[in-house]
């Protein structure tokens, strides 16, 4: 599998910026501020109309852990069918059992419903009980990509496990390094781990265009201003692209 620079986006504007900056693939989600949830169909359609790079769709029914109820699992089934039918290049999924092992039976069902789309195991991998056991399970399932920080808060902290995962996987599945990725991090981690796939949001905070502001009335998570908007920084993506090209080839 060739090298990958994947950018996680939750808006049309960010998707366009990521593509202009040189991303080779998008992970499309909603609500990036809480780690990402499933996007809606219209967002996917609008992104498809405006960019011509690969788009994988994050399917996550809610914020929080990866142990899902039967109702949440049914929602995931429906979302896999819908986005596969809409032409998504891949799905980004993951779920765990209560004991922290990968829920292979449910994962297998979703992969079957995807009908040949690419499959990324997302960072549920980073909170599983045993990463090497989960790697073996991912191989059995036919997952082609694992998104991971090396089970740490940032990929820089997880470099030792990332190196082991890259070596053990042999590129099948491809280890996609995420959490805190930038051009500088790629410059350090690529030689240290041998990885050829990196995932970033390249987010910058834009000030709201509102001139009238009613302060002190929070609409969402505590501590997050209602007058800031997250967008992808095209310049940061371009720097990451130039770095990975220099290290892994054009």
């Amino acid at each position: 599998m060739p090298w990958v620079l994947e950018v996680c986006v939750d808006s049309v504007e960010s998707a366009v910026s990521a593509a202009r900056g040189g991303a080779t693939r998008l992970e499309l989600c909603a609500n990036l501020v809480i780690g990402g949830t499933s996007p809606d169909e219209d967002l996917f359609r609008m992104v498809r109309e405006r960019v011509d790079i690969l788009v994988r769709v994050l399917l996550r029914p809610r914020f929080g852990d990866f142990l899902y109820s039967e109702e949440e699992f049914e929602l995931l089934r429906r979302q896999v069918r819908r986005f596969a039918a809409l032409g998504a290049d891949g799905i980004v999924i993951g779920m765990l059992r209560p004991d922290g092992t990968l829920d292979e039976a449910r994962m297998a069902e979703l992969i079957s419903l995807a009908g040949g789309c690419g499959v990324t195991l997302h960072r549920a991998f980073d909170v599983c009980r045993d990463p090497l056991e989960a790697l073996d399970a991912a191989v059995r399932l036919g997952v082609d990509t694992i998104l991971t920080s090396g089970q740490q808060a940032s990929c820089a902290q997880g470099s030792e496990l990332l190196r082991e995962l890259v070596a053990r996987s042999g590129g099948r599945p491809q280890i996609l390094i995420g959490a805190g990725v930038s051009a500088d991090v790629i410059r350090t981690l690529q030689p240290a781990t041998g990885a050829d796939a990196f995932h970033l949001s390249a987010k910058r905070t834009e000030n709201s265009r509102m001139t009238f502001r009613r302060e002190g009335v929070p609409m969402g998570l505590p501590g997050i201003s209602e007058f800031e908007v997250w967008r992808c920084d095209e310049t940061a993506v371009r720097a990451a692209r130039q770095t990975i090209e220099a290290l892994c080839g054009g």
Side-chain angles (χ1 to χ4, degrees):
M1 189 179 291
W3 61 262
V4 170
L5 181 65
E6 180 179 88
V7 179
C8 185
V9 299
D10 64 357
S11 68
V12 176
E13 295 89 342
S14 288
V16 171
S17 293
R20 282 198 307 242
T24 62
R25 190 169 75 201
L26 301 178
E27 182 194 280
L28 182 64
C29 67
N31 302 311
L32 189 53
V33 70
I34 55 171
T37 56
S38 303
D40 67 33
E41 181 176 322
D42 289 326
L43 176 59
F44 176 83
R45 290 181 184 275
M46 288 182 69
V47 168
R48 271 297 202 203
E49 290 166 4
R50 289 162 173 78
V51 305
D52 59 2
I53 60 175
L54 299 173
V55 180
R56 293 197 174 191
V57 178
L58 173 68
L59 299 178
R60 185 182 180 211
R62 57 164 170 78
F63 169 78
D65 66 32
F66 303 104
L67 177 62
Y68 295 128
S69 68
E70 185 54 44
E71 289 76 16
E72 289 167 334
F73 184 49
E74 174 58 25
L75 179 60
L76 286 168
R77 290 189 192 102
R78 296 183 185 200
Q79 290 174 340
V80 168
R81 292 190 194 99
R82 180 180 308 113
F83 284 107
L86 287 170
D89 297 295
I91 57 171
V92 182
I93 56 175
M95 55 195 68
L96 300 176
R97 300 187 186 95
D99 65 358
T101 58
L102 201 65
D103 191 336
E104 290 186 64
R106 283 180 159 188
M107 288 278 292
E109 184 173 346
L110 295 184
I111 291 168
S112 177
L113 291 172
C117 286
V119 179
T120 298
L121 168 57
H122 60 44
R123 292 187 66 209
F125 180 88
D126 281 331
V127 292
C128 74
R129 183 177 68 187
D130 183 329
L132 301 183
E133 179 184 79
L135 173 61
D136 290 341
V139 171
R140 288 193 295 271
L141 287 166
V143 166
D144 64 50
T145 304
I146 296 175
L147 172 61
T148 175
S149 64
Q151 293 205 318
Q152 298 295 326
S154 73
C155 58
Q157 296 169 299
S159 60
E160 185 175 339
L161 177 57
L162 291 168
R163 182 174 61 250
E164 183 176 4
L165 292 169
V166 170
R168 287 176 69 104
S169 71
R172 295 178 179 272
Q174 188 172 44
I175 302 302
L176 176 64
I177 294 179
V181 169
S182 65
D184 287 342
V185 169
I186 295 171
R187 195 173 293 112
T188 300
L189 277 188
Q190 196 284 325
T193 63
D196 57 3
F198 290 86
H199 167 105
L200 70 162
S201 61
K203 61 181 177 288
R204 71 171 188 270
T205 302
E206 293 185 356
N207 196 31
S208 168
R209 291 178 291 129
M210 289 291 296
T211 54
F212 172 78
R213 300 188 176 192
R214 175 76 66 191
E215 301 286 357
V217 188
M219 298 292 174
L221 293 175
I224 296 179
S225 172
E226 307 299 333
F227 302 106
E228 294 178 352
V229 180
W230 284 10
R231 291 285 186 255
C232 173
D233 186 341
E234 180 181 336
T235 302
V237 176
R238 184 170 294 109
R241 168 70 184 245
Q242 291 168 349
T243 302
I244 196 171
E245 275 189 326
L247 292 167
C248 297

